[in-house]
């Protein structure tokens, strides 16, 4: 069985084809194609929703064509069409949902609306070292920061989440203050390599709060305060030091809370997913802490950390496999720009 996946929730258009092995086991990625809108949005310093939607319209069918060429099969081989139903930008989501439902209707095949974060959460199953259930998941993207207890496909219990900004947002907003442009996370982490992470004393909000919630909004204020102190002409070294100190503060909090979640649940497996999961410093820290705690830690392949169609096709395939999803022949689609993962 082949599941076509379409992702269009924000600034990446992704299409992929995943095959469910008839004998069971982890679904196999046959092909995927991706277009990032980063260059288009860069001029505006962030994602412009209207432009994002229009670009998804332009890209999605050519990307689908490419996927079928790479997979060596055709539309007639698709059994289910999965698409990102939410959360995300409403207009952008509607493009993927509309195209998915139109394709499915033309083929007479069912559709499956997928939660974007479920895609991220399951994406390490496409890696060479797939996890086993149950595990603790640290979901760190541009819009979400959550710790979940994952018992199986569709069995997600929220352990803690951010009460204000997401970790990715903290990277992006701090990077903007440092004049590093968009997207901020990768730029800030590149600059941080040249800086001293102990140069600036920045807050670790809620680090010792006793629960598993996060708060990152205060961090950008602290970065702004330090920048003001440095004056208008900031030299390269203090800038790199501030980038390194910011990254260190975020990594400290994310890793401390992840270890706390593992301890609280008694689980010995951690999955890290979402765009911030690509951060080298975070990976190094978690690898070291988990090694000492006897915990296995799993990540998606680096190129599947950010948004992509493969994780949506995979989540569709795994939901089908687990019997948790009933694909529908009802093509009157809707999208859910706000949608808690625990409600899937
Ligand atoms: O998961 P994702 O691609 O999109 C959302 O679903 O939000 O995550 C994007 C976020 C952005 O905030 C971006 O700055 C951040 O992930 N990001 C990083 C890195 N690569 C992407 N943050 C820190 N270090 C990175 N290497
Ligand atoms: Zn995402």
């Amino acid at each position: 069985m082949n599941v076509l996946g379409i992702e269009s929730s924000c600034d990446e258009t992704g299409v992929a084809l995943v095959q469910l092995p008839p004998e069971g086991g982890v679904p196999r990625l046959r092909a995927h194609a991706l277009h990032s809108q980063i260059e288009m949005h860069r001029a505006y310093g962030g994602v412009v929703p209207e432009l994002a939607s229009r670009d998804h319209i332009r890209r999605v069918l050519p990307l689908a064509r490419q996927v079928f060429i790479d997979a060596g099969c055709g539309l007639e081989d698709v059994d289910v069409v999965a698409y990102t139903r939410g959360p995300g930008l409403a207009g952008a989501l509607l493009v993927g949902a509309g195209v998915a439902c139109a394709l499915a209707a033309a083929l007479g095949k069912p559709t499956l609306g997928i939660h974007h974060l479920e895609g991220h959460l399951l994406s390490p199953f496409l890696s060479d070292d797939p996890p086993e259930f149950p595990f603790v998941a640290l979901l760190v993207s541009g819009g979400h920061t959550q710790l979940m207890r994952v018992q199986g496909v569709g069995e997600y219990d929220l352990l803690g989440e951010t009460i204000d900004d997401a970790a990715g947002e903290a990277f992006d907003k701090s990077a903007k203050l440092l004049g590093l442009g968009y997207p901020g996370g990768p730029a800030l982490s590149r600059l941080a390599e040249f800086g001293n992470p102990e140069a600036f004393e920045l807050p670790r909000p809620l680090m010792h709060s006793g629960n598993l919630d996060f708060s990152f909004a205060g961090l950008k204020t602290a970065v702004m305060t330090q920048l003001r102190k440095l004056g208008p002409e900031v030299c390269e070294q203090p800038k790199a030091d501030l980038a390194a100190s910011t990254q260190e503060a975020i990594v400290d909090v994310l890793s401390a809370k992840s270890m706390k979640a593992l301890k609280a649940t008694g689980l010995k497996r951690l999955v890290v997913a979402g765009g911030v999961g690509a951060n080298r410093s975070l990976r190094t820290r978690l690898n070291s802490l988990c090694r000492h705690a006897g915990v296995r830690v799993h990540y998606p392949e680096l190129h599947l950390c950010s948004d992509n169609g493969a994780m949506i096709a995979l989540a569709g395939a795994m939901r089908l496999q687990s019997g948790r999803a009933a694909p529908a022949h009802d093509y009157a689609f809707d999208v859910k720009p706000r949608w808690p993962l625990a409600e899937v």
Side-chain angles (χ1 to χ4, degrees), residues 185-256:
L188 190 143
S189 71
R190 272 195 302 275
L191 182 60
E193 298 208 358
F194 304 99
N196 172 8
E198 286 164 18
F200 291 89
E201 216 171 285
L202 296 175
R204 268 74 172 152
L206 298 191
M207 181 123 137
H208 304 293
S209 63
N211 63 17
L212 295 169
D213 286 338
F214 303 87
S215 164
F216 289 108
L219 193 57
K220 66 170 185 295
T221 316
V223 171
M224 201 187 310
T225 308
Q226 294 297 342
L227 273 171
R228 281 218 188 98
K229 280 191 202 158
L230 290 170
E233 300 289 325
V234 191
C235 303
E236 279 311 305
Q237 194 54 52
K239 211 164 142 176
D241 289 344
L242 190 49
S245 303
T246 306
Q247 176 172 266
E248 187 81 352
I250 298 171
V251 168
D252 274 358
V253 178
L254 291 177
S255 52

Side-chain angles (χ1 to χ4, degrees), residues 258-320:
S258 300
M259 300 317 289
K260 201 174 202 161
L262 287 159
K263 206 165 175 194
T265 56
L267 294 173
K268 288 286 176 193
R269 208 177 283 278
L270 176 68
V271 158
V272 184
V276 182
N279 185 271
R280 185 138 26 121
S281 174
L282 178 65
R283 287 189 175 209
T284 307
R285 178 77 66 85
L286 285 174
N287 288 345
S288 153
L289 288 172
C290 287
R291 199 169 38 248
H292 284 109
V295 170
R296 296 265 333 254
V297 55
H298 300 262
Y299 306 91
E301 302 284 327
L302 261 185
H303 70 284
L304 296 181
C305 273
S306 294
D307 296 348
N308 61 81
M311 67 185 198
I312 301 304
L314 171 78
M318 289 183 74
R319 285 189 78 80
L320 288 170

Side-chain angles (χ1 to χ4, degrees), residues 2-8 14-16 18 78-85 96-97 99-101 103-104 110-115 309-320 327:
N2 289 309
V3 180
L4 183 71
I6 299 180
E7 154 66 29
S8 71
V15 182
V18 157
V78 172
D79 297 293
V80 177
V81 184
Y83 62 93
T84 306
R85 191 177 176 203
V99 169
C101 290
L103 277 177
T111 60
L112 204 50
I114 298 294
H115 194 293
M311 67 185 198
I312 301 304
L314 171 78
M318 289 183 74
R319 285 189 78 80
L320 288 170

